[in-house]
PDB file of all heavy atoms in Angstrom:
ATOM      1  N   LEU A   1      -1.364  -8.118 -14.325  1.00 87.00           N
ATOM      2  CA  LEU A   1      -0.023  -7.557 -14.442  1.00 87.00           C
ATOM      3  C   LEU A   1       0.684  -8.035 -15.700  1.00 87.00           C
ATOM      4  O   LEU A   1       1.388  -7.274 -16.365  1.00 87.00           O
ATOM      5  CB  LEU A   1       0.797  -7.940 -13.206  1.00 87.00           C
ATOM      6  CG  LEU A   1       2.254  -7.472 -13.178  1.00 87.00           C
ATOM      7  CD1 LEU A   1       2.332  -5.953 -13.104  1.00 87.00           C
ATOM      8  CD2 LEU A   1       2.993  -8.098 -11.990  1.00 87.00           C
ATOM      9  N   THR A   2       0.465  -9.308 -16.061  1.00 88.00           N
ATOM     10  CA  THR A   2       1.186  -9.901 -17.186  1.00 88.00           C
ATOM     11  C   THR A   2       0.611  -9.471 -18.534  1.00 88.00           C
ATOM     12  O   THR A   2       1.355  -9.119 -19.453  1.00 88.00           O
ATOM     13  CB  THR A   2       1.150 -11.438 -17.081  1.00 88.00           C
ATOM     14  OG1 THR A   2       1.683 -11.837 -15.819  1.00 88.00           O
ATOM     15  CG2 THR A   2       1.966 -12.076 -18.198  1.00 88.00           C
ATOM     16  N   PHE A   3      -0.706  -9.480 -18.658  1.00 90.00           N
ATOM     17  CA  PHE A   3      -1.333  -9.263 -19.964  1.00 90.00           C
ATOM     18  C   PHE A   3      -1.951  -7.873 -20.125  1.00 90.00           C
ATOM     19  O   PHE A   3      -2.268  -7.481 -21.240  1.00 90.00           O
ATOM     20  CB  PHE A   3      -2.423 -10.311 -20.201  1.00 90.00           C
ATOM     21  CG  PHE A   3      -1.908 -11.722 -20.213  1.00 90.00           C
ATOM     22  CD1 PHE A   3      -1.980 -12.515 -19.076  1.00 90.00           C
ATOM     23  CD2 PHE A   3      -1.343 -12.264 -21.351  1.00 90.00           C
ATOM     24  CE1 PHE A   3      -1.506 -13.815 -19.079  1.00 90.00           C
ATOM     25  CE2 PHE A   3      -0.866 -13.554 -21.370  1.00 90.00           C
ATOM     26  CZ  PHE A   3      -0.935 -14.337 -20.221  1.00 90.00           C
ATOM     27  N   GLY A   4      -2.138  -7.160 -19.023  1.00 85.00           N
ATOM     28  CA  GLY A   4      -2.781  -5.852 -19.123  1.00 85.00           C
ATOM     29  C   GLY A   4      -1.842  -4.750 -19.580  1.00 85.00           C
ATOM     30  O   GLY A   4      -2.231  -3.877 -20.357  1.00 85.00           O
ATOM     31  N   GLY A   5      -0.617  -4.807 -19.091  1.00 77.00           N
ATOM     32  CA  GLY A   5       0.329  -3.753 -19.452  1.00 77.00           C
ATOM     33  C   GLY A   5      -0.055  -2.423 -18.823  1.00 77.00           C
ATOM     34  O   GLY A   5      -0.876  -2.343 -17.908  1.00 77.00           O
ATOM     35  N   SER A   6       0.517  -1.367 -19.323  1.00 78.00           N
ATOM     36  CA  SER A   6       0.248  -0.033 -18.784  1.00 78.00           C
ATOM     37  C   SER A   6      -1.051   0.555 -19.306  1.00 78.00           C
ATOM     38  O   SER A   6      -1.604   1.476 -18.705  1.00 78.00           O
ATOM     39  CB  SER A   6       1.404   0.914 -19.127  1.00 78.00           C
ATOM     40  OG  SER A   6       1.582   0.995 -20.537  1.00 78.00           O
ATOM     41  N   SER A   7      -1.576   0.014 -20.404  1.00 80.00           N
ATOM     42  CA  SER A   7      -2.780   0.579 -21.013  1.00 80.00           C
ATOM     43  C   SER A   7      -4.065  -0.031 -20.464  1.00 80.00           C
ATOM     44  O   SER A   7      -5.139   0.520 -20.664  1.00 80.00           O
ATOM     45  CB  SER A   7      -2.742   0.375 -22.531  1.00 80.00           C
ATOM     46  OG  SER A   7      -2.657  -1.006 -22.850  1.00 80.00           O
ATOM     47  N   MET A   8      -3.986  -1.168 -19.795  1.00 85.00           N
ATOM     48  CA  MET A   8      -5.188  -1.839 -19.295  1.00 85.00           C
ATOM     49  C   MET A   8      -4.937  -2.347 -17.875  1.00 85.00           C
ATOM     50  O   MET A   8      -5.014  -3.526 -17.585  1.00 85.00           O
ATOM     51  CB  MET A   8      -5.565  -2.996 -20.239  1.00 85.00           C
ATOM     52  CG  MET A   8      -6.942  -3.616 -19.971  1.00 85.00           C
ATOM     53  SD  MET A   8      -8.297  -2.436 -19.906  1.00 85.00           S
ATOM     54  CE  MET A   8      -8.194  -1.715 -21.555  1.00 85.00           C
ATOM     55  N   LYS A   9      -4.612  -1.423 -16.984  1.00 87.00           N
ATOM     56  CA  LYS A   9      -4.375  -1.800 -15.596  1.00 87.00           C
ATOM     57  C   LYS A   9      -5.693  -2.111 -14.901  1.00 87.00           C
ATOM     58  O   LYS A   9      -6.661  -1.361 -15.027  1.00 87.00           O
ATOM     59  CB  LYS A   9      -3.671  -0.669 -14.852  1.00 87.00           C
ATOM     60  CG  LYS A   9      -2.214  -0.490 -15.219  1.00 87.00           C
ATOM     61  CD  LYS A   9      -1.570   0.566 -14.345  1.00 87.00           C
ATOM     62  CE  LYS A   9      -0.103   0.735 -14.697  1.00 87.00           C
ATOM     63  NZ  LYS A   9       0.541   1.774 -13.842  1.00 87.00           N
ATOM     64  N   THR A  10      -5.719  -3.208 -14.175  1.00 90.00           N
ATOM     65  CA  THR A  10      -6.870  -3.536 -13.344  1.00 90.00           C
ATOM     66  C   THR A  10      -6.716  -2.860 -11.988  1.00 90.00           C
ATOM     67  O   THR A  10      -5.690  -2.251 -11.686  1.00 90.00           O
ATOM     68  CB  THR A  10      -7.010  -5.050 -13.171  1.00 90.00           C
ATOM     69  OG1 THR A  10      -5.796  -5.572 -12.598  1.00 90.00           O
ATOM     70  CG2 THR A  10      -7.250  -5.724 -14.519  1.00 90.00           C
ATOM     71  N   PHE A  11      -7.739  -2.980 -11.151  1.00 89.00           N
ATOM     72  CA  PHE A  11      -7.727  -2.279  -9.866  1.00 89.00           C
ATOM     73  C   PHE A  11      -6.560  -2.726  -8.991  1.00 89.00           C
ATOM     74  O   PHE A  11      -5.854  -1.902  -8.405  1.00 89.00           O
ATOM     75  CB  PHE A  11      -9.051  -2.533  -9.143  1.00 89.00           C
ATOM     76  CG  PHE A  11      -9.099  -1.924  -7.772  1.00 89.00           C
ATOM     77  CD1 PHE A  11      -9.387  -0.588  -7.606  1.00 89.00           C
ATOM     78  CD2 PHE A  11      -8.844  -2.697  -6.648  1.00 89.00           C
ATOM     79  CE1 PHE A  11      -9.415  -0.016  -6.337  1.00 89.00           C
ATOM     80  CE2 PHE A  11      -8.872  -2.140  -5.383  1.00 89.00           C
ATOM     81  CZ  PHE A  11      -9.157  -0.797  -5.226  1.00 89.00           C
ATOM     82  N   ASN A  12      -6.348  -4.032  -8.899  1.00 87.00           N
ATOM     83  CA  ASN A  12      -5.278  -4.538  -8.036  1.00 87.00           C
ATOM     84  C   ASN A  12      -3.898  -4.102  -8.513  1.00 87.00           C
ATOM     85  O   ASN A  12      -3.031  -3.757  -7.711  1.00 87.00           O
ATOM     86  CB  ASN A  12      -5.347  -6.070  -7.964  1.00 87.00           C
ATOM     87  CG  ASN A  12      -6.589  -6.551  -7.236  1.00 87.00           C
ATOM     88  OD1 ASN A  12      -7.043  -5.913  -6.295  1.00 87.00           O
ATOM     89  ND2 ASN A  12      -7.148  -7.662  -7.672  1.00 87.00           N
ATOM     90  N   VAL A  13      -3.694  -4.124  -9.833  1.00 88.00           N
ATOM     91  CA  VAL A  13      -2.404  -3.687 -10.381  1.00 88.00           C
ATOM     92  C   VAL A  13      -2.194  -2.195 -10.116  1.00 88.00           C
ATOM     93  O   VAL A  13      -1.104  -1.762  -9.727  1.00 88.00           O
ATOM     94  CB  VAL A  13      -2.330  -3.986 -11.891  1.00 88.00           C
ATOM     95  CG1 VAL A  13      -1.030  -3.445 -12.487  1.00 88.00           C
ATOM     96  CG2 VAL A  13      -2.432  -5.480 -12.137  1.00 88.00           C
ATOM     97  N   GLY A  14      -3.233  -1.419 -10.314  1.00 85.00           N
ATOM     98  CA  GLY A  14      -3.126   0.014 -10.056  1.00 85.00           C
ATOM     99  C   GLY A  14      -2.868   0.329  -8.597  1.00 85.00           C
ATOM    100  O   GLY A  14      -2.106   1.249  -8.276  1.00 85.00           O
ATOM    101  N   LEU A  15      -3.500  -0.446  -7.699  1.00 83.00           N
ATOM    102  CA  LEU A  15      -3.304  -0.225  -6.275  1.00 83.00           C
ATOM    103  C   LEU A  15      -1.865  -0.522  -5.870  1.00 83.00           C
ATOM    104  O   LEU A  15      -1.241   0.238  -5.126  1.00 83.00           O
ATOM    105  CB  LEU A  15      -4.266  -1.105  -5.472  1.00 83.00           C
ATOM    106  CG  LEU A  15      -4.199  -0.981  -3.952  1.00 83.00           C
ATOM    107  CD1 LEU A  15      -4.553   0.434  -3.514  1.00 83.00           C
ATOM    108  CD2 LEU A  15      -5.138  -1.986  -3.286  1.00 83.00           C
ATOM    109  N   VAL A  16      -1.316  -1.616  -6.355  1.00 81.00           N
ATOM    110  CA  VAL A  16       0.068  -1.963  -6.040  1.00 81.00           C
ATOM    111  C   VAL A  16       1.030  -0.927  -6.626  1.00 81.00           C
ATOM    112  O   VAL A  16       2.007  -0.538  -5.973  1.00 81.00           O
ATOM    113  CB  VAL A  16       0.410  -3.375  -6.564  1.00 81.00           C
ATOM    114  CG1 VAL A  16       1.892  -3.675  -6.408  1.00 81.00           C
ATOM    115  CG2 VAL A  16      -0.417  -4.418  -5.830  1.00 81.00           C
ATOM    116  N   ASP A  17       0.768  -0.477  -7.847  1.00 79.00           N
ATOM    117  CA  ASP A  17       1.628   0.540  -8.446  1.00 79.00           C
ATOM    118  C   ASP A  17       1.604   1.835  -7.627  1.00 79.00           C
ATOM    119  O   ASP A  17       2.630   2.496  -7.466  1.00 79.00           O
ATOM    120  CB  ASP A  17       1.184   0.826  -9.878  1.00 79.00           C
ATOM    121  CG  ASP A  17       1.552  -0.307 -10.833  1.00 79.00           C
ATOM    122  OD1 ASP A  17       2.303  -1.206 -10.412  1.00 79.00           O
ATOM    123  OD2 ASP A  17       1.076  -0.293 -11.979  1.00 79.00           O
ATOM    124  N   MET A  18       0.429   2.191  -7.128  1.00 75.00           N
ATOM    125  CA  MET A  18       0.313   3.401  -6.332  1.00 75.00           C
ATOM    126  C   MET A  18       1.066   3.273  -5.011  1.00 75.00           C
ATOM    127  O   MET A  18       1.689   4.217  -4.530  1.00 75.00           O
ATOM    128  CB  MET A  18      -1.163   3.702  -6.074  1.00 75.00           C
ATOM    129  CG  MET A  18      -1.418   5.010  -5.346  1.00 75.00           C
ATOM    130  SD  MET A  18      -3.168   5.475  -5.390  1.00 75.00           S
ATOM    131  CE  MET A  18      -3.921   3.996  -4.705  1.00 75.00           C
ATOM    132  N   LEU A  19       1.036   2.078  -4.438  1.00 70.00           N
ATOM    133  CA  LEU A  19       1.727   1.859  -3.164  1.00 70.00           C
ATOM    134  C   LEU A  19       3.236   1.824  -3.335  1.00 70.00           C
ATOM    135  O   LEU A  19       3.978   2.233  -2.452  1.00 70.00           O
ATOM    136  CB  LEU A  19       1.255   0.546  -2.532  1.00 70.00           C
ATOM    137  CG  LEU A  19      -0.205   0.519  -2.054  1.00 70.00           C
ATOM    138  CD1 LEU A  19      -0.585  -0.871  -1.580  1.00 70.00           C
ATOM    139  CD2 LEU A  19      -0.421   1.530  -0.946  1.00 70.00           C
ATOM    140  N   SER A  20       3.683   1.301  -4.472  1.00 61.00           N
ATOM    141  CA  SER A  20       5.118   1.158  -4.695  1.00 61.00           C
ATOM    142  C   SER A  20       5.746   2.412  -5.302  1.00 61.00           C
ATOM    143  O   SER A  20       6.916   2.417  -5.648  1.00 61.00           O
ATOM    144  CB  SER A  20       5.388  -0.041  -5.617  1.00 61.00           C
ATOM    145  OG  SER A  20       4.746   0.135  -6.877  1.00 61.00           O
ATOM    146  N   ALA A  21       4.949   3.470  -5.445  1.00 57.00           N
ATOM    147  CA  ALA A  21       5.502   4.694  -6.025  1.00 57.00           C
ATOM    148  C   ALA A  21       6.469   5.379  -5.060  1.00 57.00           C
ATOM    149  O   ALA A  21       7.413   6.030  -5.476  1.00 57.00           O
ATOM    150  CB  ALA A  21       4.372   5.649  -6.398  1.00 57.00           C
ATOM    151  N   ASP A  22       6.216   5.199  -3.753  1.00 60.00           N
ATOM    152  CA  ASP A  22       7.088   5.800  -2.748  1.00 60.00           C
ATOM    153  C   ASP A  22       7.920   4.711  -2.078  1.00 60.00           C
ATOM    154  O   ASP A  22       7.632   3.522  -2.167  1.00 60.00           O
ATOM    155  CB  ASP A  22       6.260   6.554  -1.707  1.00 60.00           C
ATOM    156  CG  ASP A  22       5.429   7.663  -2.347  1.00 60.00           C
ATOM    157  OD1 ASP A  22       5.924   8.274  -3.305  1.00 60.00           O
ATOM    158  OD2 ASP A  22       4.291   7.877  -1.893  1.00 60.00           O
ATOM    159  N   THR A  23       8.943   5.153  -1.371  1.00 63.00           N
ATOM    160  CA  THR A  23       9.797   4.191  -0.666  1.00 63.00           C
ATOM    161  C   THR A  23       9.142   3.670   0.602  1.00 63.00           C
ATOM    162  O   THR A  23       9.473   2.588   1.071  1.00 63.00           O
ATOM    163  CB  THR A  23      11.135   4.861  -0.304  1.00 63.00           C
ATOM    164  OG1 THR A  23      10.885   6.050   0.467  1.00 63.00           O
ATOM    165  CG2 THR A  23      11.916   5.225  -1.568  1.00 63.00           C
ATOM    166  N   THR A  24       8.182   4.409   1.143  1.00 70.00           N
ATOM    167  CA  THR A  24       7.480   3.980   2.354  1.00 70.00           C
ATOM    168  C   THR A  24       6.061   3.561   2.003  1.00 70.00           C
ATOM    169  O   THR A  24       5.455   4.095   1.074  1.00 70.00           O
ATOM    170  CB  THR A  24       7.435   5.107   3.390  1.00 70.00           C
ATOM    171  OG1 THR A  24       6.789   6.249   2.812  1.00 70.00           O
ATOM    172  CG2 THR A  24       8.841   5.491   3.823  1.00 70.00           C
TER     173      THR A  24
END
């Protein structure tokens, strides 16, 4: 999350971003 940024998302960062896209 700290060093990857939006251009180098790892699996865990992408999964959390996908989950937090909605309010539920």
